[in-house]
Amino acid sequence: MAAPSRHTTPADPGGPAAARRMLRREVPSTAAVLADAQDFAAMRRYRTFPFDDHTAYLQQMETLLRSLTAQGIHTTVTLFDPVAYETFCTDADLDPDRPDSRSRYTAELACTGATVPYRGESLTRLLPLLIDEAERQATWERATALLARTGACADCGEDLARAAFARASRAVTSLLDTLGDGTHHLVCSVPASGAPLLAVLHAATDDDGRLELSEAATLLFCTVLAVGIALRSPGGIVSRTTGTDDRDAVRGWILRDAWLHPLSAAEVFTAYCTDADSGEPVPPEHGVDYRSGLTLPDPPPTEGHDHHGHR
């Protein structure tokens, strides 16, 4: 924290107030938002919760955020979960019907929850980004928990999670190398207890031929694929590549024997043009070509045992 300068001493007119304003800019803020109307309705049962209209609440929250930003205060936004809040209050022996309890919960979220920085945009634009970030964090927590349960190989003592992640990283590198230049949107899906694990990776080559990737997205993508490898789950990857002719090429791979194997064009078409909930066919997208997956190089031989993705 910066030391007060001689210009903000009590000897100056308004010195203490000016100093406090300067210090306030160095104290970050976190706002926890009830993004969902159902979550908002759940909080209305508390007498001290001062809002009765979700739209008005969001408008007031946006005004507050813009006011903090105008004061030069760095502010992050997180999601307020009424169920998690109730659990937090129970564990901390707090009365949930108190503003200071909500404040303490928000402070906890600032350390452990998914947050995004507020830069003056509308909540209409910000909340989808925040929800996506929360889903990514939840996926990361589920995936790492599943990997942690794999333990060590009973025969050789090797860390199975580490081995699966190394193999997943090689598979993703091979896949990107095989796809080559262009803009690629990849989705990895791995069945797990409850909802499937999903991870998205956007890769593009710049004018110098260098691959541009988000480090955080790549880590999550490889971790989800590693879960499929470690658990021998029948997951897979779908890629969508945008070409110079304004047409997209969709390809697919299935995870089998701890490696990615290409799907045929017919299998890709069926997977992409079938409603996941009803199983009914859906029309193919205009400007999209459904192609067979490309064959990846065989994985390098490793020491170890077949049950965790080795020879």
Side-chain angles (χ1 to χ4, degrees):
M1 181 177 292
S5 72
R6 62 183 178 86
H7 301 293
T8 58
T9 63
D12 296 324
R20 285 193 296 271
R21 286 194 296 271
M22 290 182 65
L23 289 173
R24 181 66 185 93
R25 293 172 184 171
E26 299 185 23
V27 179
S29 294
T30 300
V33 181
L34 291 157
D36 184 82
Q38 184 174 351
D39 289 342
F40 177 85
M43 290 300 294
R44 290 191 59 196
R45 70 179 182 270
Y46 297 121
R47 179 184 55 82
T48 59
F49 185 71
F51 297 96
D52 56 14
D53 180 83
H54 189 220
T55 300
Y57 159 82
L58 291 177
Q59 290 171 345
Q60 291 291 335
M61 180 64 73
E62 187 172 310
T63 299
L64 171 62
L65 291 171
R66 287 181 169 166
S67 173
L68 292 170
T69 300
Q71 298 173 52
I73 298 170
H74 176 73
T75 306
T76 56
V77 184
T78 186
L79 291 176
F80 196 106
D81 183 340
V83 176
Y85 171 64
E86 188 173 359
T87 301
F88 171 81
C89 289
T90 300
D91 293 343
D93 195 24
L94 298 174
D95 179 1
D97 199 359
R98 289 178 59 91
D100 56 338
S101 297
R102 294 194 287 272
S103 179
R104 287 182 59 175
Y105 173 66
T106 299
E108 178 75 11
L109 289 177
C111 299
T112 62
T115 62
V116 296
Y118 181 74
R119 298 187 175 92
E121 65 269 59
S122 68
L123 283 183
T124 302
R125 295 185 58 188
L126 183 68
L127 288 180
L129 301 177
L130 179 56
I131 292 170
D132 287 345
E133 181 60 29
E135 290 176 349
R136 280 191 293 269
Q137 179 165 317
T139 299
W140 167 257
E141 292 173 353
R142 285 183 61 207
T144 53
L146 288 169
L147 282 177
R149 295 175 194 166
T150 58
C153 175
D155 296 324
C156 67
E158 183 173 13
D159 186 314
L160 300 182
R162 185 183 298 275
F165 185 83
R167 195 172 184 86
S169 298
R170 288 196 296 268
V172 172
T173 299
S174 295
L175 177 57
L176 291 173
D177 287 345
T178 302
L179 286 172
D181 294 343
T183 300
H184 312 291
H185 184 80
L186 289 78
V187 178
C188 179
S189 175
V190 171
S193 55
L197 292 170
L198 290 173
V200 175
L201 182 61
H202 184 79
T205 49
D206 61 18
D207 294 338
D208 297 325
R210 291 173 299 190
L211 190 65
E212 295 180 334
L213 291 168
S214 162
E215 182 177 347
T218 304
L219 177 60
L220 178 59
F221 196 88
C222 291
T223 301
V224 168
L225 183 59
V227 171
I229 290 173
L231 301 183
R232 291 291 177 151
S233 178
I237 291 177
V238 172
S239 73
R240 183 167 181 152
T241 301
T242 301
T244 57
D245 57 356
D246 292 330
R247 295 189 66 85
D248 287 355
V250 174
R251 295 182 172 89
W253 294 260
I254 188 172
L255 184 58
R256 186 176 63 246
D257 297 329
W259 196 246
L260 295 172
H261 299 271
L263 295 173
S264 68
E267 290 172 323
V268 172
F269 180 89
T270 299
Y272 227 80
C273 299
T274 301
D275 186 275
D277 296 325
S278 67
E280 295 295 322
V282 295
E285 292 185 57
H286 175 72
V288 174
D289 298 322
Y290 302 92
R291 301 177 181 175
S292 59
L294 303 172
T295 301
L296 304 186
D298 291 334
T302 58
E303 298 300 324
H305 300 278
D306 179 69
H307 60 259
H308 57 278
H310 293 175
R311 63 181 182 183

